[in-house]
Amino acid sequence: MRISLELITFIATESAINISTLVCLQNNLKIPLTDRHFGGGEFVPNRPKLSLCRANREAFVECLCLNFPRFLARDRKSGLKMDFNMLVQQAQRLTNEVQSAEDIPQMDRTLPQVLMAAQELHSRVTQSEVGSQDAQAHIMLGSKGIDLPKITQKLETLSSRKTFEPLDPIADTDIQSFLRNEKENAILSVIEEVHKETYKSAQQQKWDHIVSDWREEKVKLMNALVGSSQGWIEIQKGPEQTILNETSVTGRSCLGSQEMAYAREVLDYNRVVIEGVLRPNLVQKFAQVSEEFNDAKITEMWEIVKYMVNVMPSARSQDPLRQRQHSGQLIQQAKKYLENRYKVYMTTVVSDHLREAQLGGIPNTFSLVSAFVRLRFGDMDNLNAIGLQDGKIEGKPIWPMVFYCLRCGDIQAALKCLEFISPGHEDVIQVLEEKLRKPDQRINSKLEQQIKMQYKRQIRNATDPFKRVVYCIVASCDIHEQHPDIAKTSDDFLWVQLSLIQAEAEANQEILTYAGLQTMILEQYGEKHFNAHEQPHLYFQVLALTGQFEVAIEFLSRFERFRAHAVHIALALNELGMLGGSRDVRQPLLSVDSDDPAPLRRLNLARLVMLYVKKFEITDPAEAIQYFFFLRNLLDAEGRNLFLLSITDLAMECGEYDLIFGKIQVNGMRSRGLIDQFESMQVDPRAACQMVADELVKKGVFESAIKMYDLAENHEQVLNYTSVLLSQVVNQPNKRGSLRERIQVVAREIKERYDIDEIKCDPKILSTFVILYDLLKFFDEYHEKKHQLALETLARINLVPFTMADLDNCLKNFKELRVEVCKVFPNILLATMDILYSQYRAIKSKTTQTSFPATGENPLSRLREQAKALTSMGATIPYRMPGDTNNQLVQTEILMH
């Protein structure tokens, strides 16, 4: 069948076209028909129930017309021909099938209706891109049974404007409106509460995520800071109050039970040091205290410290880090600790399985190892099945027996095991015999080379892992082999590595040195490998056993739970001269010195102690001073003793000057303070008081500085700064609790206690204090309206003239005054002029000039002359007074004429 204009005309003029015909054309002619050609009716060829009998003929005609050129081209190309009768027959058959369906009614449209629908669809399709997208959205949602226009209408009716608007006021009797408002209020409150909780939860999750990320970054930074000019990051928590201490100054203490136990031992130790008797071992003292905490990890840490300090004491004049680098004693002590610990572990395992272990014979290492190996390997008949070689000892594999004897540190037991071995291992036996006879000497180099050669040729590829590790331990063979089948724990790994260390190397020989092992633990593996933040005690153990005390202490101090123990480990090591301290107290907590061998670090003990004491120095100053005593041999950048400097900062921080330094008693003697207990250690309490006073002056706290200078017996500075304060308040009226009242009390005590005539200080400072002290009385009398007494007091001071003849003398005296008195001079002139004017008015109001005797002195003239002398003094003195002072003096003088 060929698509032609005649066919299109036929379809257009036909009164009705059922859907079967359309389907036939769709299938046979491949006409691209969609639902948009049928004015909203759905065109589904495979579902005749949804067809229309006379559906949208105009739209269909439009489709044929639009596609007519393509049909013609396709027909020419393919020569497609179809009999129209066949098309009609297929359409009729489909029509009959559709008519047989009774559940879906048929729908007819007239030609104008089809034309209008086609025009509407055409206009919608030919709109802009947005319109096309809307049409596609209608098609997609319509295929799923969603009526988009209705949904749009419903959404447009929704409005949130009234939801969150303020509720309208209602009358008290409007019950329905009241209930509606209450309902809306409840809904709004729930919405607001949910909003707040959601926001709070989101914020908490955000910060948890940030903190988690920062912890990971912090670990990376800690492992990366290894340069000589950098130190470790210090992250410290603020002080937290822990327990109540009835003996503390404030009634509350920030010292926990463990910290208080340590503090008591520190006090006892310092008392012994001050008395000059033989010092106890501070490590032993602290280790005994730690046993009371019932914490296995803490006890274990102190046990490690006890082993590592059990070496020959070195001279305090030598650098601990340089001595440590070449000390084989630390290696031996670390191995001894690991060996004894493993022996305890084996004993525990055997004790738990006595029946299976069959422990018998004389209690010794050989019997213990034999029982342990029996538990681990059992009675195996074929050792080759698991790779073990060279036979058995009483049914137990020989090389595991040798290894575990060495692991327990018993070379003699290992030699006993080797008595049962087949020939070919004589060199190993000879080396072990040499180590047993001369444990501190290196084995014969020739013998060592023979064992290494044998290891390379035969043992390296052996299937028995215990045999390989024994050869490596005996002659330090293959330092890169980790022995994962045997060294499954950190203790085993560390013991094997310590056993491989050699001090000197032959030509072209690679060895493992002590520094190499330290670098491996600290830099190659680091905190991440040992999961240090989850197991801080484990990382401390491997650092301490490899002689890296400074890094171990700094790492432990980051944790609140272990900070107190880290500080006291540092103090104990420092007292034994085994701690590498910073060369400058201003350095970070952990720093790298370019002169030190890698990878050693230096610990700033002063900073560590101060950070620890910061927690409780306010509530427990007595305990804080005991910790500062450990800094007595350190100096700051300016050469000042760090112990005295720390006490200075403590006193200024807590303000307990009387407790720390004592106070001046009625008899003029200083009572004892906390600092006096250290007097025998060349600690001068007066020097400490002087340091505190100087610091207080720098901060401008003159009132406390005067007290400290008085304790330091520095009378000159006492008078000087008392005068400074007096000059600021001497002209003010005296009020209860004011600074003037307090300074007046201090000045009175100084005047009574000091022998003014015999005191040794600058005469100007002394005269200034005396003048200001007299001015206190003058201004008190002036404010109390005792004018005549005030004038008499001022006349004794001889500061201002009362006649013109006294002007030159007063000007001469003014030039000798210090600035403290000069500052008060304008107030003196104004107060004196006010007194004269008050007297003038009083006399003027009672009588007149004619009432005075002819031969008597006229008091008004005398007052005018005094006023004139004051005005002349104010205008002549070489001091820049406030601008209105002279104006007030002149105006008052004019009023007296």
Side-chain angles (χ1 to χ4, degrees):
M1 174 182 173
R2 183 181 299 276
I3 300 298
S4 61
L5 292 176
E6 290 79 10
L7 177 59
I8 296 174
T9 304
F10 169 77
I11 296 174
T13 56
E14 193 70 18
S15 60
I17 302 175
N18 59 42
I19 195 63
S20 301
T21 305
L22 302 180
V23 171
C24 181
L25 291 174
Q26 165 73 11
N27 295 334
N28 292 279
L29 302 180
K30 307 300 181 184
I31 299 175
L33 301 178
T34 62
D35 59 337
R36 65 187 182 86
H37 298 127
F38 298 95
E42 186 175 8
F43 174 73
V44 184
N46 296 327
R47 296 176 61 187
K49 292 183 179 181
L50 300 178
S51 62
L52 302 175
C53 60
R54 297 175 59 185
N56 308 331
R57 178 167 46 190
E58 291 293 334
F60 183 70
V61 171
E62 177 188 4
C63 176
L64 291 177
C65 294
L66 292 174
N67 292 276
F68 180 71
R70 182 171 58 83
F71 296 150
L72 293 179
R74 187 181 63 183
D75 289 345
R76 293 191 188 99
K77 182 177 180 181
S78 61
L80 178 63
K81 295 182 180 179
M82 179 178 285
D83 188 0
F84 186 70
N85 293 328
M86 295 176 61
L87 181 63
V88 173
Q89 290 176 4
Q90 293 180 5
Q92 187 63 40
R93 180 172 56 80
L94 292 174
T95 301
N96 295 335
E97 293 178 358
V98 171
Q99 290 176 353
S100 63
E102 298 179 356
D103 54 342
I104 300 178
Q106 296 183 355
M107 183 174 66
D108 297 334
R109 287 191 182 183
T110 62
L111 187 60
Q113 291 175 341
V114 173
L115 182 60
M116 291 177 60
Q119 291 175 350
E120 180 182 356
L121 283 173
H122 184 267
S123 62
R124 290 169 57 188
V125 171
T126 57
Q127 285 177 355
S128 62
E129 182 181 357
V130 177
S132 177
Q133 293 176 356
D134 292 342
Q136 293 176 4
H138 279 270
I139 295 170
M140 181 186 70
L141 296 176
S143 64
K144 301 298 182 181
I146 299 175
D147 192 347
L148 192 59
K150 290 184 179 180
I151 293 178
T152 304
Q153 293 176 0
K154 291 180 180 180
L155 292 175
E156 289 176 352
T157 59
L158 295 177
S159 175
S160 62
R161 183 179 59 83
K162 294 183 179 181
T163 304
F164 298 100
E165 284 184 345
L167 301 179
D168 297 330
I170 58 175
D172 295 338
T173 57
D174 192 351
I175 298 177
Q176 293 182 352
S177 299
F178 173 78
L179 294 176
R180 183 178 65 255
N181 282 2
E182 288 297 317
K183 177 183 177 181
E184 293 179 357
N185 278 330
I187 295 173
L188 290 175
S189 62
V190 171
I191 294 174
E192 183 66 19
E193 186 67 24
V194 171
H195 172 73
K196 290 181 179 179
E197 291 297 328
T198 304
Y199 179 79
K200 183 179 179 180
S201 176
Q203 288 290 326
Q204 183 64 33
Q205 293 179 10
K206 179 189 76 172
W207 282 113
D208 290 344
H209 183 70
I210 291 174
V211 170
S212 178
D213 289 346
W214 166 238
R215 285 176 180 171
E216 296 180 0
E217 292 297 326
K218 184 174 65 175
V219 172
K220 296 178 182 178
L221 289 173
M222 294 290 185
N223 293 329
L225 293 177
V226 294
S228 59
S229 61
Q230 301 182 27
W232 298 98
I233 296 176
E234 301 171 27
I235 299 177
Q236 300 291 337
K237 291 181 65 177
E240 298 178 357
Q241 292 187 353
T242 54
I243 63 172
L244 295 179
N245 181 12
E246 300 297 335
T247 62
S248 65
V249 177
T250 61
R252 298 197 304 175
S253 174
C254 287
L255 284 170
S257 57
Q258 295 183 359
E259 296 164 337
M260 188 65 74
Y262 279 130
R264 285 192 290 266
E265 293 298 329
V266 167
L267 176 62
D268 294 340
Y269 178 80
N270 287 343
R271 186 180 296 113
V272 172
V273 172
I274 294 171
E275 292 174 356
V277 298
L278 184 63
R279 300 183 184 183
N281 189 326
L282 196 55
V283 173
Q284 297 290 342
K285 300 278 286 184
F286 287 154
Q288 293 175 3
V289 172
S290 67
E291 294 175 358
E292 303 173 0
F293 303 153
N294 296 323
D295 191 324
K297 292 182 174 60
I298 295 174
T299 304
E300 182 182 325
M301 289 189 296
W302 277 110
E303 189 70 17
I304 293 173
V305 177
K306 285 168 60 178
Y307 270 88
M308 297 304 291
V309 301
N310 190 19
V311 295
M312 290 294 294
S314 56
R316 292 183 174 270
S317 59
Q318 298 181 2
D319 190 354
L321 294 186
R322 296 193 178 278
Q323 293 180 353
R324 189 185 309 168
Q325 193 67 13
H326 304 287
S327 176
Q329 294 183 9
L330 291 177
I331 300 174
Q332 295 303 322
Q333 287 301 116
K335 288 182 60 179
K336 185 177 179 180
Y337 168 78
L338 293 171
E339 291 163 357
N340 291 343
R341 186 178 180 186
Y342 199 80
K343 193 171 183 179
V344 172
Y345 162 72
M346 292 173 61
T347 303
T348 304
V349 172
V350 172
S351 300
D352 293 341
H353 305 84
L354 286 175
R355 183 185 298 273
E356 296 85 352
Q358 300 179 15
L359 179 63
I362 302 174
N364 53 26
T365 303
F366 182 85
S367 300
L368 178 63
V369 170
S370 179
F372 181 78
V373 172
R374 179 179 289 108
L375 288 175
R376 182 162 183 178
F377 295 96
D379 295 329
M380 295 180 299
D381 297 330
N382 187 10
L383 297 178
N384 294 328
I386 60 174
L388 301 181
Q389 300 175 344
D390 298 333
K392 305 177 183 179
I393 303 176
E394 299 177 357
K396 296 169 287 293
I398 190 168
W399 286 111
M401 288 284 295
V402 175
F403 171 76
Y404 287 118
C405 287
L406 294 176
R407 184 66 178 85
C408 293
D410 196 332
I411 298 177
Q412 188 171 0
L415 288 172
K416 183 178 180 181
C417 296
L418 289 173
E419 293 176 359
F420 299 90
I421 201 168
S422 59
H425 306 283
E426 292 79 7
D427 294 340
V428 174
I429 297 174
Q430 188 174 350
V431 169
L432 290 178
E433 289 175 348
E434 284 192 13
K435 287 189 175 183
L436 183 62
R437 292 193 304 268
K438 304 175 182 178
D440 297 332
Q441 294 185 10
R442 184 180 177 182
I443 63 175
N444 184 276
S445 60
K446 182 178 179 180
L447 188 59
E448 181 181 351
Q449 290 299 326
Q450 291 177 0
I451 296 178
K452 289 183 177 180
M453 187 64 66
Q454 184 181 3
Y455 176 83
K456 290 180 181 180
R457 293 177 178 177
Q458 302 175 4
I459 310 302
R460 175 185 291 177
N461 299 322
T463 59
D464 192 334
F466 293 94
K467 184 177 182 179
R468 295 197 304 268
V469 73
V470 168
Y471 267 80
C472 289
I473 292 171
V474 169
S476 301
C477 305
D478 198 359
I479 63 174
H480 300 292
E481 174 62 38
Q482 301 295 325
H483 306 283
D485 296 335
I486 297 176
K488 297 180 179 180
T489 65
S490 298
D491 284 6
D492 293 335
F493 166 77
L494 193 57
W495 180 82
V496 171
Q497 296 300 318
L498 289 169
S499 301
L500 296 176
I501 291 177
Q502 289 182 298
E504 299 178 358
E506 301 291 340
N508 300 325
Q509 182 183 6
E510 187 178 9
I511 64 172
L512 178 64
T513 62
Y514 197 32
L517 177 60
Q518 292 173 336
T519 303
M520 180 193 304
I521 296 297
L522 179 61
E523 298 178 1
Q524 182 177 343
Y525 291 108
E527 298 178 17
K528 187 175 182 180
H529 175 82
F530 291 97
N531 195 15
H533 285 268
E534 298 296 330
Q535 305 178 85
H537 62 284
L538 175 62
Y539 192 54
F540 171 85
Q541 172 183 325
V542 295
L543 289 173
L545 290 174
T546 53
Q548 303 182 85
F549 304 130
E550 296 76 18
V551 182
I553 292 169
E554 186 275 337
F555 170 77
L556 208 60
S557 67
R558 301 181 206 166
F559 300 88
E560 178 66 24
R561 175 187 173 188
F562 299 110
R563 185 171 300 132
H565 312 292
V567 171
H568 291 87
I569 290 173
L571 294 177
L573 292 177
N574 183 67
E575 288 299 297
L576 294 174
M578 298 183 63
L579 188 70
S582 300
R583 303 185 191 277
D584 190 344
V585 295
R586 296 173 297 180
Q587 289 184 345
L589 192 57
L590 197 67
S591 59
V592 179
D593 196 314
S594 58
D595 296 334
D596 294 334
L600 296 180
R601 309 286 195 263
R602 290 190 175 271
L603 182 71
N604 191 338
L605 180 66
R607 186 180 292 270
L608 180 68
V609 171
M610 291 179 181
L611 288 173
Y612 175 70
V613 170
K614 193 72 176 177
K615 175 181 178 180
F616 56 86
E617 63 180 359
I618 303 299
T619 58
D620 303 87
E623 285 75 9
I625 291 178
Q626 297 296 330
Y627 283 94
F628 289 147
F629 184 65
F630 287 94
L631 310 179
R632 61 191 179 276
N633 297 320
L634 301 178
L635 302 177
D636 70 346
E638 300 178 6
R640 296 175 296 179
N641 185 277
L642 210 58
F643 171 52
L644 295 179
L645 191 60
S646 301
I647 292 181
T648 299
D649 295 336
L650 173 63
M652 296 177 62
E653 186 71 22
C654 67
E656 297 291 341
Y657 302 107
D658 294 344
L659 174 67
I660 298 174
F661 302 103
K663 60 181 179 180
I664 301 298
Q665 299 177 341
V666 179
N667 57 4
M669 301 297 293
R670 183 181 66 87
S671 62
R672 291 180 60 84
L674 294 175
I675 194 173
D676 289 282
Q677 61 185 310
F678 306 103
E679 190 171 4
S680 61
M681 298 298 297
Q682 291 77 43
V683 176
D684 187 359
R686 290 182 297 181
C689 295
Q690 180 74 28
M691 290 180 63
V692 174
D694 293 339
E695 292 296 323
L696 290 171
V697 168
K698 292 179 182 178
K699 294 181 177 292
V701 189
F702 292 162
E703 190 174 357
S704 298
I706 293 170
K707 179 189 296 184
M708 298 310 300
Y709 278 128
D710 198 11
L711 293 173
E713 299 181 6
N714 191 337
H715 299 158
E716 181 173 324
Q717 295 297 340
V718 170
L719 298 177
N720 181 31
Y721 288 105
T722 304
S723 300
V724 171
L725 290 181
L726 283 174
S727 66
Q728 299 175 9
V729 298
V730 67
N731 61 303
Q732 298 175 1
N734 200 6
K735 296 181 180 179
R736 182 178 297 276
S738 64
L739 175 61
R740 187 185 190 278
E741 183 185 41
R742 298 197 303 271
I743 297 302
Q744 188 172 13
V745 172
V746 172
R748 186 181 301 114
E749 292 178 355
I750 293 173
K751 190 75 164 51
E752 293 174 355
R753 287 193 291 107
Y754 288 9
D755 190 346
I756 300 299
D757 295 331
E758 298 182 0
I759 191 171
K760 296 180 180 180
C761 68
D762 189 346
K764 288 188 176 181
I765 294 178
L766 181 58
S767 62
T768 300
F769 171 77
V770 173
I771 292 173
L772 290 171
Y773 183 80
D774 291 337
L775 286 176
L776 281 172
K777 183 179 180 182
F778 164 74
F779 280 104
D780 285 341
E781 294 169 344
Y782 165 70
H783 291 299
E784 294 172 2
K785 304 299 182 181
K786 300 177 182 179
H787 292 164
Q788 189 59 37
L789 293 176
L791 290 177
E792 293 176 0
T793 301
L794 191 59
R796 289 196 302 269
I797 303 175
N798 196 21
L799 285 179
V800 298
F802 288 99
T803 63
M804 293 300 296
D806 299 333
L807 181 59
D808 293 338
N809 188 31
C810 290
L811 288 174
K812 182 179 179 182
N813 294 336
F814 181 84
K815 295 178 181 179
E816 301 296 328
L817 297 176
R818 284 168 56 91
V819 66
E820 289 81 7
V821 180
C822 295
K823 288 170 59 177
V824 189
F825 213 84
N827 303 101
I828 298 173
L829 294 176
L830 291 174
T832 306
M833 181 66 78
D834 185 57
I835 292 174
L836 296 178
Y837 181 63
S838 299
Q839 290 182 344
Y840 177 85
R841 286 190 305 170
I843 296 174
K844 186 95 176 198
S845 62
K846 293 181 180 179
T847 182
T848 60
Q849 292 183 1
T850 57
S851 62
F852 292 107
T855 58
E857 181 183 3
N858 188 342
L860 297 179
S861 298
R862 177 175 54 80
L863 293 174
R864 293 191 189 101
E865 182 180 3
Q866 293 175 348
K868 182 179 179 180
L870 290 177
T871 305
S872 301
M873 181 71 178
T876 311
I877 59 176
Y879 183 76
R880 186 173 183 179
M881 294 190 300
D884 58 343
T885 301
N886 285 324
N887 293 335
Q888 294 181 29
L889 292 175
V890 173
Q891 291 174 4
T892 307
E893 182 189 359
I894 293 173
L895 293 175
M896 296 173 65
H897 286 79

